[in-house]
Amino acid sequence: MTSDGSPFDPLIAKLRRLAPIDDADEAALLALPHRVGRARARDYLVREGSRPQECCALLEGYAARSKLGFNGGRQIVSFHIPGDLLDIQHLFLERADHNVQVISEATLLWVSMPALRALATERPAIGTALWRDALIDASIFREWILNVGRRDAKSRIAHMLCEFIVRRSAAGLGTPEHTRLPFTQEEIGDATGLTSVHVNRMLRELAEAGLIARNGRALEIVDWDGFRRAAGFDAAYLHAAA
Amino acid sequence: MTSDGSPFDPLIAKLRRLAPIDDADEAALLALPHRVGRARARDYLVREGSRPQECCALLEGYAARSKLGFNGGRQIVSFHIPGDLLDIQHLFLERADHNVQVISEATLLWVSMPALRALATERPAIGTALWRDALIDASIFREWILNVGRRDAKSRIAHMLCEFIVRRSAAGLGTPEHTRLPFTQEEIGDATGLTSVHVNRMLRELAEAGLIARNGRALEIVDWDGFRRAAGFDAAYLHAAA
DNA sequence: CGGTTCTTTGACGAGATTCAATGCCGGTGG
DNA sequence: CCACCGGCATTGAATCTCGTCAAAGAACCG
């Protein structure tokens, strides 16, 4: 079965990377109650404390999960690329414990949460794909704890960018060398537990070291191996599929 | 069905808090191929890079998940109490992406990983319980990213201790007020991204503020409400079941 | 173009690390 | 029963990374 032009394409491509999805599985996915929507930068897709009834997949654009600290500071806990399920983290939980926000213009696929939950138990391959997706997300969260807790500012930023670039190219959305990043420096700071001011300083140092090049808001990796080394980046925690 | 004295008791009690486990589910759990083992402080239960064949549940004692940074620093990413499944994070993944270590004398239940995986798909209630457990673990990881990324040293330590105490009393293993903590200050530092020296200073300040009292290695919460407030602790992310 | 958002830079201060030394406690063996 | 020893806790002083505050410049958007 082919599904040319279906809004499910990026999602199905991702699930196929996680488990052997057959034609019947794909048909079941395509039959899910769903709708397609658009969102602009900063729109919320999930709000902390809400009770999500739909599960959201990203078709185009980028998104971030975040939590708010007591003093108003925002901590981003993960970034997401097209094909990612943004709300599988609440598939079996009542209330959202964090926010999901779009960080650029985005297209979204909204799927009924109960229907997806039913599919997860009725179709083993889909269940396995969702399990693996959730567990890989958790692995990424663990790596971020290490990143924020034990790396210095420069390698912390480099590591976060490495991950993003590797995941994006694993999804067939670009190469490591030529990358137009969708982040503001503030967002990089919110993801790494740094201030945007310090992010700026570290990016300058990374550029001065010849690892990256910047013009305007775009960023290019000049020396990918050196950059990975500066980040201390080892992709094992992505389990070759994120 | 009762199961007095079975090594599965702590695990089943935990799963019952997560989903409606019936007698047939319990019988299926009890029929899993398993063995009971002991471990001493610092023993590894799971090693990063290995291919776990058994899933390990904690029956007595305490354990921690950890990852190593490039410079040799250890980052603890979660603590675990009796009843916790220590390796559900690798139930659907090939290679372990982190270590699990015992931090005190412990008793363990080892269960066949493929058999547990089969149960997760064949028995919906068990599947749901495992899903919820894994998703709550992930929620805790996200909270730790926020903790390490956005809180200052004192509230960071207090938050980590709050979580541990709340989870322990939710499992019926003690009250918030009287708590003998199993951590060294070094372990608290490894969990919070701080040095043991600084942990020591912050604990002294928390004691001087009248929130906790220490004698020797034991620690007692004097003012639970004040302590929670100092931590900025809100248990919502535990989803009332961890 | 005019306003807004994002980036860049400098000076200063605060919080946490590092290094180093001492003290305490529990366990072990003579 | 006591002396020793190893692991942890405690403390101080010097240092450094990163945050804060503030201001100006560049890029983007309608």
Side-chain angles (χ1 to χ4, degrees), chain A residues 22-40:
Chain A
D22 65 22
D23 290 355
D25 295 321
E26 182 166 336
L29 285 164
L30 292 169
L32 282 171
H34 67 276
R35 63 191 177 84
V36 173
R38 296 277 303 163
R40 284 169 320 187

Side-chain angles (χ1 to χ4, degrees), chain B residues 6-185:
Chain B
S6 156
F8 281 87
D9 284 354
L11 175 58
I12 289 175
K14 164 141 195 183
L15 295 178
R16 281 193 189 283
R17 273 180 267 128
L18 292 164
I21 304 288
D22 65 20
D23 290 354
D25 295 320
E26 182 166 338
L29 285 165
L30 292 170
L32 282 171
H34 67 276
R35 62 190 176 85
V36 174
R38 296 276 304 162
R40 283 169 319 187
R42 291 178 208 183
D43 283 355
Y44 281 86
L45 305 177
V46 180
R47 277 195 184 270
E48 186 169 351
S50 69
R51 300 170 178 270
Q53 302 301 318
E54 292 177 302
C55 187
C56 176
L58 191 55
L59 300 180
E60 286 172 25
Y62 298 98
R65 290 177 203 283
S66 63
K67 302 191 67 145
L68 293 180
F70 57 118
N71 53 2
R74 175 175 73 155
Q75 176 70 45
I76 291 177
V77 299
S78 67
F79 288 113
H80 291 281
I81 63 176
D84 283 354
L85 279 158
L86 299 181
D87 209 15
I88 203 180
Q89 294 291 338
H90 297 122
L91 194 58
F92 288 86
L93 299 175
E94 285 279 301
R95 283 187 180 280
D97 53 62
H98 64 275
N99 303 299
V100 180
Q101 255 175 304
V102 158
I103 63 172
S104 62
E105 287 264 320
T107 311
L108 304 151
L109 175 67
W110 297 90
V111 179
S112 154
M113 188 79 95
L116 185 61
R117 194 158 46 222
L119 229 51
T121 59
E122 288 159 15
R123 302 209 64 88
I126 294 176
T128 299
L130 296 179
W131 258 111
R132 288 175 52 82
D133 186 56
L135 293 182
I136 291 169
D137 272 358
S139 174
I140 295 174
F141 294 142
R142 288 190 290 272
E143 185 71 26
W144 280 45
I145 297 174
L146 171 62
N147 201 36
V148 174
R150 282 282 174 239
R151 283 193 256 261
D152 64 15
K154 205 187 297 185
S155 49
R156 206 185 292 186
I157 293 167
H159 193 281
M160 185 232 103
L161 296 175
C162 269
E163 177 191 302
F164 184 78
I165 291 167
V166 165
R167 287 173 60 198
R168 239 188 29 165
S169 55
L173 299 168
T175 62
E177 288 73 16
H178 294 84
T179 301
R180 177 86 164 74
L181 293 173
F183 312 116
T184 65
Q185 294 180 2

Side-chain angles (χ1 to χ4, degrees), chain A residues 153-154 198-212 214:
Chain A
K154 205 187 297 185
H198 205 60
V199 169
N200 183 282
R201 286 195 265 260
M202 295 299 105
L203 286 176
R204 182 161 54 74
E205 287 189 21
L206 286 166
E208 284 167 357
L211 299 173
I212 63 175
R214 295 173 304 153

Side-chain angles (χ1 to χ4, degrees), chain B residues 42 183-186 197 200-201 204 214 217:
Chain B
R42 291 178 208 183
F183 312 116
T184 65
Q185 294 180 2
E186 177 117 26
V197 172
N200 183 283
R201 286 195 259 261
R204 182 162 54 74
R214 296 173 302 153
R217 211 148 292 173

